[in-house]
Amino acid sequence: MKKTNIKKIAISTGGGDAPGLNAVIRAVVISALQRGWECVGIRHGYNGLMIPEEYPDGDGLLTLTRKSVSGITHLGGTILGTTNKGNPLKYPTKGRDGKMCEKDRTEELVAAFRKHNIDALVAIGGDGSLGIANILSEKGICTIGVPKTIDNDLDKTVITFGFDTAVSFATECMDRLHSTAEAHRRVMVVEVMGRYAGWIALNSGISTSADVILIPEIPYDVNKAAEVINKREKSGRHYTMIVVAEGAKPRGGSVSVMSKEIGRAEKLGGIAEKVAKELESITGKECRTVVLGHLLRGGRPTTFDRLISLRFGAAAVRALEQGKTGVMVALDPPTVRYVPLKQATNRMKTVPLDCDTILTARDLGISFGD
Ligand code: F6P
């Protein structure tokens, strides 16, 4: 086993927050302190290092002690703060012409790591943040990634932390919507996050006996969804539950984009409204929409998410101790293992069309609008 010379490590949380972030931070800090290492947290992704002038009193880098991580396992959000606008590879910068453009500022970031004598980094993030982590490791920063995202779209790990909490909460919301939809004889169209992957919609939709699930992996025909509503009407079931992933798109059409800004990923949203309007005009039934949005990201992590977050955090520190770099901690039940960050961020993990969950939904008579 390689010996490590680590004395000081940094932790960064980047991209959209996910329940379990604080549990990872706690596990990393306690495990690192036990090895005699110093621990700092970088505020808001890498902003604490890249724009220190915005953090008065040197607040861009927080010293993390045993006390800083006390009682945080069950808390949503992240004690370090996060951002999805601070990608050092595409940092929003004012150009000479006064217009905003994207600039690669990774060299500055590497220099900041050196300046603060940071020997290693635990980067907690989704595909964007772990892509950055991979570049940092290639540039010589000893880096371990931890897979976070409610979307569950990271490859090479069975699951990301945050996903279970998001699905559980979506399930609870849909149970509640189910009863009111039935009472009012309405069609309820529920939009859930997930970006270009349908994991949240699929898992929560099946778990709540939705009638139609629309996911990005299966472009839909709205007439097929309308058929489901009409068929149910005829058989005396006067309400219909439809779950739509924010990244779902009609056959031959494109995703619903709310906005696109320099230095960040496009914002998806609006698909439930579109689907509901179309269904209302085809079927004549009252169609109502609910967008669960950021509710899926907030709140307390489930027991499952707490546990994998703590396991991921401790495993990240063990990896550093073993001299590993450029790898991500991955869940491979019953254990955790390490996979190259490059592999994990190479492709997005979408729902395989032949997976047993899709087959189960079809066997249960759930329509994908195809
Ligand atoms: O990646 C997590 C996620 O919650 C996606 O499901 C969603 O599309 C996106 O982040 C929303 O990000 P924002 O916080 O910028 O609205």
Side-chain angles (χ1 to χ4, degrees):
M1 197 183 290
K2 259 204 257 173
K3 268 271 184 209
T4 172
N5 297 320
I6 289 174
K7 291 197 184 72
K8 181 175 179 180
I9 68 164
I11 307 173
S12 145
T13 54
D17 63 337
L21 278 168
N22 284 322
V24 179
I25 296 170
R26 176 181 161 91
V28 173
V29 171
I30 296 178
S31 309
L33 293 177
Q34 289 214 54
R35 286 160 172 83
W37 305 346
E38 202 186 318
C39 251
V40 290
I42 309 170
R43 302 297 311 281
H44 305 108
Y46 298 105
N47 282 350
L49 278 181
M50 292 183 47
I51 40 173
E53 64 281 5
E54 291 200 4
Y55 296 87
D57 311 321
D59 235 10
L61 222 47
L62 296 181
T63 300
L64 296 172
T65 62
R66 180 66 185 75
K67 196 163 168 224
S68 336
V69 297
S70 161
I72 64 168
T73 304
H74 64 291
L75 300 180
T78 154
I79 58 167
L80 302 179
T82 187
T83 178
N84 44 22
K85 293 183 191 158
N87 182 345
L89 290 164
K90 296 178 178 177
Y91 209 83
T93 307
K94 215 181 222 168
R96 284 210 189 109
D97 55 0
K99 283 193 190 145
M100 292 305 282
C101 60
E102 294 174 349
K103 191 179 168 204
D104 182 350
R105 292 184 55 185
T106 41
E107 288 302 338
E108 285 167 64
L109 183 57
V110 170
F113 272 96
R114 306 266 187 245
K115 181 178 153 203
H116 290 278
N117 298 318
I118 298 167
D119 302 311
L121 166 71
V122 175
I124 314 170
D127 58 346
S129 308
L130 296 188
I132 299 162
N134 183 43
I135 302 283
L136 290 175
S137 82
E138 284 174 359
K139 289 186 185 276
I141 304 289
C142 177
T143 304
I144 306 296
V146 175
K148 164 236 70 169
T149 167
I150 63 162
D151 306 336
N152 196 35
D153 59 355
L154 258 171
D155 203 16
K156 305 292 174 205
T157 179
V158 164
I159 212 164
T160 54
F161 77 82
F163 174 65
D164 185 66
T165 308
V167 172
S168 302
F169 188 67
T171 300
E172 185 188 331
C173 293
M174 277 180 246
D175 283 346
R176 289 168 187 245
L177 292 168
H178 214 114
S179 55
T180 170
E182 184 169 11
H184 284 266
R185 299 183 155 198
R186 284 171 173 155
V187 175
M188 199 62 85
V189 185
V190 187
E191 181 175 313
V192 294
M193 282 186 169
R195 279 207 301 175
Y196 310 106
W199 296 105
I200 299 177
L202 178 65
N203 286 23
S204 59
I206 294 186
S207 306
T208 54
S209 306
D211 306 295
V212 180
I213 301 174
L214 304 179
I215 58 173
E217 294 83 351
I218 307 178
Y220 66 84
D221 172 354
V222 76
N223 293 301
K224 299 281 181 190
E227 273 170 27
V228 174
I229 298 170
N230 290 335
K231 223 163 136 190
R232 286 174 61 80
E233 278 296 309
K234 278 200 193 113
S235 67
R237 286 170 297 169
H238 300 288
Y239 72 99
T240 299
M241 287 295 295
I242 301 182
V243 186
V244 54
E246 62 178 359
K249 51 179 184 286
R251 219 176 262 169
S254 47
V255 290
S256 292
V257 176
M258 284 205 314
S259 66
K260 175 97 192 81
E261 287 165 37
I262 297 272
R264 54 162 298 168
E266 58 186 9
K267 254 194 236 166
L268 301 179
I271 188 70
E273 202 54 42
K274 177 181 158 76
V275 168
K277 271 200 188 119
E278 288 171 354
L279 288 175
E280 206 161 83
S281 89
I282 301 170
T283 65
K285 285 280 298 177
E286 183 181 9
C287 299
R288 302 292 286 265
T289 58
V290 174
V291 179
L292 294 180
H294 296 88
L295 286 169
L296 300 180
R297 292 221 311 243
R300 302 155 80 93
T302 57
T303 308
F304 179 87
D305 274 337
R306 291 179 202 193
L307 187 58
I308 55 164
S309 299
L310 294 167
R311 289 171 67 195
F312 282 168
V317 172
R318 291 198 300 274
L320 288 177
E321 186 176 43
Q322 291 161 18
K324 290 188 168 50
T325 180
V327 295
M328 179 186 86
V329 181
L331 187 68
D332 185 10
T335 189
V336 292
R337 66 186 179 108
Y338 304 106
V339 295
L341 273 168
K342 203 171 196 138
Q343 273 180 27
T345 53
N346 202 23
R347 65 178 276 274
M348 189 185 297
K349 184 180 72 185
T350 50
V351 178
L353 297 185
D354 58 353
C355 71
D356 90 281
T357 320
I358 293 271
L359 301 180
T360 302
R362 293 199 191 276
D363 285 336
L364 290 169
I366 297 173
S367 165
F368 287 100
D370 60 343

